Amino acid sequence: MKKITFLLFAALCLAFASTADAHDFEVGGIYYNITSYDEPYTVEVTYSGTSAGETAEYSGNVTIPATVTHSGYEITYSVTAVGASAFQGNTGLTSVTIPVGVTYLGVGAFVSCTALENVSLPEGLISMGN
């Protein structure tokens, strides 16, 4: 009985986890995950759905702001990263401008962005995934 209860609990956890969004909040059509809940407050740009490449939310020219305010918490966060697979599969995306302050560009951030012509990288970028 104990094993069945544990398996049922694990299945429920997986079911709820798979329906959760991959982002913490959205502002101006850009999705973010909070990377620091303490000062200095920071976020990374991410994708919108439950998995990378699932939805093509980004198109045209995207300009990432240096800071963003989460209206639910009234906290202003610095944008310090573009997360792994953040723009993956967005075939209508043509350019991305990344602000100074972003120091990390995640693995596969622009995979399968077939219309992407320009990415403006900031000074101070420390690390880029492949």
Side-chain angles (χ1 to χ4, degrees), residues 36-63:
S36 175
Y37 289 92
D38 297 316
E39 289 188 42
Y41 303 110
T42 61
V43 292
E44 70 177 5
V45 174
T46 191
Y47 48 87
S48 66
T50 56
S51 63
E54 176 184 56
T55 58
E57 294 290 326
Y58 301 110
S59 64
N61 303 321
V62 172
T63 300

Side-chain angles (χ1 to χ4, degrees), residues 6-123:
F6 174 77
L7 291 174
L8 180 59
F9 176 74
L12 285 171
C13 288
L14 286 173
F16 284 113
S18 67
T19 60
D21 288 330
H23 61 277
D24 293 323
F25 66 97
E26 176 269 332
V27 174
I30 300 177
Y31 297 85
Y32 301 94
N33 279 331
I34 299 169
T35 54
S36 175
Y37 289 92
D38 297 316
E39 289 188 42
Y41 303 110
T42 61
V43 292
E44 70 177 5
V45 174
T46 191
Y47 48 87
S48 66
T50 56
S51 63
E54 176 184 56
T55 58
E57 294 290 326
Y58 301 110
S59 64
N61 303 321
V62 172
T63 300
I64 300 169
T67 61
V68 62
T69 301
H70 185 309
S71 61
Y73 300 123
E74 296 303 323
I75 295 174
T76 298
Y77 295 88
S78 295
V79 180
T80 59
V82 174
S85 305
F87 295 101
Q88 178 181 335
N90 287 263
T91 58
L93 184 65
T94 55
S95 74
V96 178
T97 302
I98 302 172
V100 171
V102 170
T103 59
Y104 174 77
L105 185 60
V107 172
F110 301 105
V111 168
S112 300
C113 294
T114 54
L116 188 61
E117 297 175 0
N118 184 50
V119 176
S120 297
L121 300 175
E123 287 186 37

